[in-house]
């Protein structure tokens, strides 16, 4: 009997240990998966920042183009050093490393047979974690199936950047119109203060009358009867 009890206890202990190990494995796998998702989400946010820098560089190159020359660079190198001017200009600080692949290699969409750079994209074919709530300049990225579908072009600008670049003043506010149905009433105090006060001619021409003088009354004294 004692041997059977010991075997049962060993069996329960072994089963409990296996269940505990399975729970620990599930928790560890969930933590690793969550950490991987958070890491990819941060990499996608960094990719949007780098893509915005590429987009601004392409736009800067196009705006600085002299008349009669192409508005798109032949390659990414021209963004680092624009040779169209006596003093070369820099539209991009450096060729960034793709945070999704870890390499400084990017996909490029050319116009025609590599006659100019139209857009830049990541070479990662992974499914993005971010599928909505993009900035206004990248609103077209919503619902894309792959990271490589995020194309960064030179015409992507946010609404705030467009308003600041055009310098257009805000629309004027229409003044309040006075109509018969809703007349604009002036305060009564203002009308009273505007009316001239009547002049007091009597006080300026007549002199004040003197105060009446009290009359003196003399009463005769009674004489003594013995006299």
């Amino acid at each position: 009997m004692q041997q059977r009890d010991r075997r049962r206890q060993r069996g329960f202990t072994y089963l409990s240990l296996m269940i505990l190990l399975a729970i620990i494995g599930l928790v560890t796998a969930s933590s690793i998966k969550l950490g991987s998702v958070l890491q990819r989400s941060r990499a996608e946010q960094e990719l949007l920042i780098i893509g915005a820098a590429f987009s601004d560089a392409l736009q800067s190159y196009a705006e600085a183009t002299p008349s009669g020359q192409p508005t798109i660079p032949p390659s990414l190198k021209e963004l680092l050093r624009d040779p169209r001017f006596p003093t070369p200009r820099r539209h991009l600080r450096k060729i960034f490393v793709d945070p999704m692949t870890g390499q400084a290699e990017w996909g490029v969409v050319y116009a025609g047979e590599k006659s100019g750079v139209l857009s830049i994209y990541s070479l990662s074919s992974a499914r993005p974690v971010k599928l909505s709530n993009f900035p206004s300049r990248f609103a077209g990225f919503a619902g894309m199936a792959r990271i490589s579908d995020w194309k960064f072009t030179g015409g992507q600008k946010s609404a705030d950047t467009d308003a600041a670049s055009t310098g257009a003043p805000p629309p004027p506010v229409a003044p309040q119109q006075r109509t018969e149905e809703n007349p604009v009433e002036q305060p009564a105090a203002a009308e009273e203060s505007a009316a001239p006060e009547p002049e007091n001619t009597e006080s300026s021409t007549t002199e004040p009358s003197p105060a009446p003088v009290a009359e003196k009354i003399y009463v005769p004294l009674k004489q003594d009867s013995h006299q």
Side-chain angles (χ1 to χ4, degrees), residues 94-116:
K94 66 176 182 178
I95 302 297
F96 298 94
V97 174
D98 186 353
M100 304 303 300
T101 61
Q103 299 178 1
E105 296 181 3
W106 297 87
V108 179
V109 177
Y110 290 94
E113 297 180 358
K114 295 187 177 182
S115 60

Side-chain angles (χ1 to χ4, degrees), residues 134-181:
F134 285 90
S136 59
R137 65 190 301 179
F138 302 134
F141 294 170
M144 292 294 184
R146 295 178 300 178
I147 295 292
S148 58
D149 294 333
W150 296 0
K151 302 295 192 302
F152 301 99
T153 62
Q156 294 169 329
K157 283 189 176 183
S158 61
D160 297 337
T161 305
D162 292 339
S165 61
T166 55
V173 180
Q176 184 179 5
Q177 297 181 356
R178 182 174 181 176
T179 59
E180 296 180 357
E181 297 179 357

Side-chain angles (χ1 to χ4, degrees), residues 12-226:
F12 286 131
T13 303
Y14 180 76
L15 181 60
S16 301
L17 181 60
M18 293 298 295
I19 294 174
L20 180 60
L21 291 176
I23 293 174
I24 293 175
L26 290 176
V27 172
T28 304
S30 300
S31 301
I32 293 175
K33 185 177 181 180
L34 179 60
S36 177
V37 171
L38 293 176
Q39 184 177 1
R40 285 184 55 190
S41 179
R42 288 193 294 266
E44 290 178 7
Q45 293 293 335
E46 186 178 357
L47 176 62
L48 291 176
I49 296 174
I50 294 175
F54 277 120
S55 177
D56 294 341
L58 291 173
Q59 185 68 23
S60 175
Y61 185 93
E63 292 176 352
T65 301
S67 59
Q69 296 190 19
T71 58
I72 52 179
S75 64
L76 297 181
K77 294 181 180 180
E78 281 71 22
L79 297 177
L80 301 177
R81 185 179 178 88
D82 192 348
R84 298 175 298 176
F85 302 94
T87 302
R89 299 185 182 182
R90 296 177 63 89
H91 305 283
L92 190 65
R93 181 167 55 88
K94 66 176 182 178
I95 302 297
F96 298 94
V97 174
D98 186 353
M100 304 303 300
T101 61
Q103 299 178 1
E105 296 181 3
W106 297 87
V108 179
V109 177
Y110 290 94
E113 297 180 358
K114 295 187 177 182
S115 60
V117 177
L118 290 178
S119 61
I120 302 168
Y121 61 92
S122 172
L123 294 177
S124 174
S125 59
R127 180 177 176 82
V129 176
K130 186 177 182 63
L131 298 175
S132 60
N133 298 326
F134 285 90
S136 59
R137 65 190 301 179
F138 302 134
F141 294 170
M144 292 294 184
R146 295 178 300 178
I147 295 292
S148 58
D149 294 333
W150 296 0
K151 302 295 192 302
F152 301 99
T153 62
Q156 294 169 329
K157 283 189 176 183
S158 61
D160 297 337
T161 305
D162 292 339
S165 61
T166 55
V173 180
Q176 184 179 5
Q177 297 181 356
R178 182 174 181 176
T179 59
E180 296 180 357
E181 297 179 357
N182 186 19
V184 180
E185 297 181 356
Q186 299 292 336
E191 295 180 357
E192 294 179 359
S193 61
E197 296 181 356
E199 297 181 358
N200 189 2
T201 56
E202 296 180 358
S203 61
S204 61
T205 56
T206 60
E207 296 180 358
S209 58
V213 180
E215 296 181 355
K216 296 181 180 182
I217 302 175
Y218 297 93
V219 180
L221 298 175
K222 293 182 178 182
Q223 295 181 355
D224 192 0
S225 60
H226 296 286

